[in-house]
Amino acid sequence: MAVSLPVSRLANALPRTMAWTPLVRLAVLILLLAIATVAFMTLESRGNWDFVLPFRGRKLAALVVVGCAVAISTVSFQTITSNRLLTPAIMGLDSLYMFVQALSVFFLGSATMIMIDPRVRFLIEILIMASFAGALFWWLFIRSRFDLHMILLVGVVFGILFRSLTGFVMRMIDPAEYIFLQDIFFASFGAVDRTLLGISAVLVTAGGLVVWRVQDRLDALLLGRPMAIGLGIDYQRTIALLFGVVVVMIAVSTALVGPITFMGLIVSFLAYGLAGSWKHRYVLPASCIIACLLLIGGQTILERVFSYNTTLSIVIEFAGGIVFLILLFRGKYT
Amino acid sequence: MIEVDNVTKRYGSTTVVDSVSLTIAKGGMTAIVGPNGAGKSTLCSMIGRLIPMDEGSIKVDRFDVTATKGERLARRISILSQENHVTARLSVEDLVLLGRYPYTHGRTTVEDREHLEATIDFMELGPLRHRFLDQLSGGQRQRAFVAMVLCQDTDYILLDEPLNSLDMKHAVAMMKLLRRVCDEQQKTIVYVVHDVNIASWYSDRVVALRDGRIVHDGNPSSFMQPEVMESIFEVDVVIREVKGKPFAVYYG
């Protein structure tokens, strides 16, 4: 609740000559995003447009896809769980993704893996993740009564389990395959997997549209399970739907840039503070814009100012970790 | 009419509600009383479809609560449960307006605004309407939640311990208010309450549960008998007449 205070205070300190309605705030965010995009595309291009535009354009597209995936999945997940301190990473879904990768390399071998169309492979992996998440969901949200502590515990345990299983598999395979796997896991914002970009964009757009269609239900879900049901929300179906979207979005972002833990937390924190409204129709777009702004702006600064001397994921995770600690110490995270 | 037909709820091997049948006609205030763990809240939650039942059926105006679309029910019956945990930072006005969700899905219409104004007036929330929920005292917040439920404008209203965390003054104010809602707006109110005197003073009917079964059902004066109350609550009770109504003293 009170978490949004410092940021909204920041926003209130802005000039008062115009009304800071949610729409105006969104417009300002879009403007900032446009500036960051132009800077990203054009700085230090040295007139080499034929090369620079398509090259940077692909990178830009990847950043936007990942940004939206992280933003939408985190905001939805926090609403489902009624907790502002969680990101979907807590469910151990990204380590599951890595485990699925490791298993397929183990059983198929990297040679066979390369022969399969990566997009087909990606869809199969998503299917596996979705079925696991579906089982987990059924168990956590439907069979036993929804319990946040249970979810946290299960998430942490599964996360560790899959991570160690992945480590175990990696020790058993031959070194060449190991390098192949490592290459997949240490994907970064700078070197995104381009073959998956198209299909990822499609998945994120579809997921985004699904969430957008139920954004009014998300608003009601903010009141918690009993009141949401009292207002006529089909709770289980809505939660299942949103959870499905979250799973797909995590698969997409993990596939493109590897696991990211804290970014969603900064994004939702800023989005709730800056959107000027608690309604998802403003918070969702604001979170997407903020996520893209962070990624594109961060990447620009990284490439032009620090000349690639560090990686964006490190910077973002560092900042996200600090936000997490602030939220934790202020203690009013639910 | 709310029809509860042979409803049973078990948690593991414990039967919390044991084949309860109950019919609540339209209009009037019905209090559900009973010792801790008697199944009052469970019964209330099942009528409000917050938890599923293991056996039996519940109908509200002939609509089965497990089979009917949530939205259709939400225009007939509203429920306020004991623990309300709101994630977002909502103002009182935001909260009360969300009561209109079953009708307009968050797209506020002129009619919604009228309902909002009427409810804010009725609940005397005017000075608080722009405050955030986390800036309110327990009693004020409870009033805001009740306002939301009233704004939902349903014929039936279920309240699970609406007097929770209210002091004497606010508890009485809340009961008078509910009585007015019932009488002036012809609503049917079913509420769970611990204080037997509150229950008998303000209700038209008192239903007592014990160990998941209905052990008494009748008007307040039939409930306010020493032997009835002693068998339900296992305390010695003396009934005195105060202001022309029976009053139970069970202290000491």
Side-chain angles (χ1 to χ4, degrees):
Chain A
M1 287 192 201
V3 159
S4 53
L5 260 182
V7 192
S8 52
R9 224 179 271 146
L10 190 92
N12 289 342
L14 295 169
R16 288 190 174 278
T17 43
M18 58 198 284
W20 284 92
T21 63
L23 279 179
V24 173
R25 287 160 185 251
L26 274 185
V28 171
L29 285 173
I30 290 172
L31 190 70
L32 289 175
L33 180 63
I35 294 169
T37 308
V38 170
F40 179 78
M41 293 296 284
T42 56
L43 281 183
E44 290 181 39
S45 63
R46 301 200 181 92
N48 213 344
W49 297 115
D50 289 344
F51 168 72
V52 163
L53 286 186
F55 176 73
R56 291 190 186 173
R58 272 195 302 271
K59 251 189 188 176
L60 182 78
L63 292 175
V64 169
V65 168
V66 170
C68 291
V70 167
I72 296 169
S73 63
T74 308
V75 169
S76 313
F77 191 74
Q78 290 184 339
T79 300
I80 299 175
T81 52
S82 305
N83 192 301
R84 290 275 171 81
L85 202 55
L86 293 181
T87 70
I90 201 80
M91 300 290 284
L93 289 171
D94 47 355
S95 38
L96 172 67
Y97 181 81
M98 308 212 307
F99 179 56
V100 172
Q101 297 276 2
L103 268 194
S104 34
V105 170
F106 180 72
F107 284 117
L108 302 173
S110 57
T112 330
M113 289 266 288
I114 291 167
M115 272 159 57
I116 308 172
D117 187 327
R119 280 161 293 193
V120 175
R121 212 172 71 205
F122 183 52
L123 282 181
I124 295 174
E125 282 158 3
I126 287 193
L127 210 67
I128 296 175
M129 278 182 71
S131 20
F132 169 79
L136 190 67
F137 170 81
W138 179 79
W139 181 52
L140 280 181
F141 287 80
I142 295 177
R143 202 180 142 262
S144 55
R145 285 225 303 156
F146 171 83
D147 177 3
L148 189 65
H149 296 109
M150 184 74 168
I151 290 176
L152 286 173
L153 192 66
V154 168
V156 170
V157 169
F158 272 123
I160 294 171
L161 175 72
F162 290 132
R163 222 163 289 142
S164 1
L165 282 175
T166 309
F168 178 64
V169 170
M170 286 179 80
R171 276 190 196 91
M172 301 211 306
I173 54 182
D174 81 63
E177 311 261 7
Y178 181 87
I179 302 283
F180 175 80
L181 259 186
Q182 212 173 32
D183 207 39
I184 298 179
F185 291 167
F186 288 93
S188 70
F189 286 101
V192 289
D193 197 336
R194 298 218 171 93
T195 43
L196 299 179
L197 197 53
I199 191 165
S200 302
V202 171
L203 287 171
V204 171
T205 312
L209 287 177
V210 169
V211 175
W212 186 252
R213 264 182 59 97
V214 298
Q215 41 97 355
D216 58 314
R217 282 193 243 171
L218 280 162
D219 291 344
L221 283 177
L222 288 172
L223 296 178
R225 182 179 177 276
M227 273 196 273
I229 294 177
L231 289 176
I233 306 287
D234 187 343
Y235 187 77
Q236 275 181 12
R237 190 187 288 176
T238 307
I239 297 272
L241 182 76
L242 290 171
F243 199 69
V245 172
V246 169
V247 168
V248 171
M249 298 263 178
I250 295 191
V252 167
S253 77
T254 316
L256 287 181
V257 297
I260 29 178
T261 317
F262 284 126
M263 184 182 150
L265 203 65
I266 324 180
V267 169
S268 86
F269 174 72
L270 290 175
Y272 274 102
L274 295 176
S277 168
W278 50 274
K279 293 198 166 156
H280 283 82
R281 84 179 67 126
Y282 302 116
V283 173
L284 280 169
S287 68
C288 287
I289 297 168
I290 289 168
C292 294
L293 190 61
L294 282 179
L295 289 180
I296 294 170
Q299 190 70 23
T300 310
I301 292 169
L302 206 70
E303 291 181 5
R304 305 301 149 216
V305 180
F306 295 111
S307 0
Y308 293 98
N309 274 335
T310 178
T311 67
L312 184 56
S313 49
I314 290 178
V315 176
I316 290 202
E317 293 288 277
F318 180 69
I322 291 174
V323 170
F324 180 78
L325 286 176
I326 293 172
L327 291 183
L328 202 62
F329 282 121
R330 297 176 81 237
K332 288 186 176 173
Y333 44 79
T334 55
Chain B
M1 190 159 65
I2 300 176
E3 295 161 277
V4 179
D5 185 23
N6 259 310
V7 166
T8 298
K9 176 74 190 175
R10 294 186 199 93
Y11 288 119
S13 57
T14 328
T15 305
V16 190
V17 172
D18 194 356
S19 41
V20 163
S21 293
L22 179 69
T23 305
I24 296 166
K26 211 165 185 171
M29 275 181 85
T30 304
I32 301 180
V33 298
N36 290 333
K40 309 180 293 291
S41 289
T42 310
L43 180 64
C44 191
S45 300
M46 284 192 291
I47 299 174
R49 76 210 179 285
L50 298 184
I51 52 176
M53 60 205 99
D54 293 320
E55 282 162 32
S57 71
I58 296 174
K59 291 187 187 127
V60 177
D61 275 350
R62 294 205 209 95
F63 290 99
D64 190 306
V65 295
T66 41
T68 309
K69 247 187 114 193
E71 199 177 279
R72 174 171 274 181
L73 281 172
R75 295 186 204 139
R76 289 209 151 64
I77 185 164
S78 52
I79 177 160
L80 182 63
S81 56
Q82 265 178 64
E83 303 230 340
N84 296 300
H85 168 87
V86 176
T87 318
R89 198 154 191 266
L90 303 186
S91 68
V92 171
E93 204 177 288
D94 291 333
L95 178 77
V96 177
L97 254 181
L98 269 170
R100 301 302 298 167
Y101 182 86
Y103 305 91
T104 47
H105 294 210
R107 280 175 293 273
T108 311
T109 60
V110 179
E111 203 193 330
D112 290 343
R113 284 263 153 216
E114 285 165 7
H115 275 277
L116 170 75
E117 294 306 326
T119 315
I120 295 256
D121 270 0
F122 188 80
M123 295 297 289
E124 291 162 16
L125 283 168
L128 301 175
R129 61 189 299 168
H130 297 298
R131 289 249 216 120
F132 290 108
L133 292 179
D134 55 0
Q135 298 169 329
L136 301 180
S137 73
Q140 292 169 330
R141 198 175 308 143
Q142 187 70 354
R143 224 160 76 215
F145 282 123
V146 171
M148 185 202 112
V149 166
L150 290 188
C151 202
Q152 202 176 329
D153 193 26
T154 55
D155 285 341
Y156 302 92
I157 300 171
L158 297 173
L159 303 164
D160 192 354
E161 299 202 21
L163 305 185
N164 236 354
S165 76
L166 296 189
D167 59 22
M168 285 189 288
K169 178 183 160 198
H170 290 100
V172 166
M174 177 68 79
M175 288 316 296
K176 282 184 177 160
L177 215 131
L178 293 176
R179 195 65 247 184
R180 270 181 61 205
V181 172
C182 181
D183 297 338
E184 291 170 17
Q185 303 178 18
Q186 283 79 46
K187 306 283 186 194
T188 311
I189 298 180
V190 179
Y191 68 110
V192 174
V193 70
H194 270 291
D195 188 327
V196 288
N197 289 317
I198 292 261
S200 79
W201 202 279
Y202 294 100
S203 315
D204 303 305
R205 178 181 175 188
V206 179
V207 174
L209 289 179
R210 192 190 152 129
D211 300 328
R213 289 165 182 276
I214 294 181
V215 287
H216 180 85
D217 184 358
N219 59 22
S221 53
S222 73
F223 169 69
M224 295 297 267
Q225 303 295 333
E227 61 284 1
V228 172
M229 296 187 67
E230 276 161 23
S231 73
I232 299 169
F233 294 99
E234 293 177 348
V235 288
D236 293 329
V237 178
V238 179
I239 306 283
R240 287 278 178 277
E241 195 167 289
V242 180
K243 291 188 184 171
K245 290 188 180 185
F247 191 88
V249 181
Y250 47 90
Y251 317 111

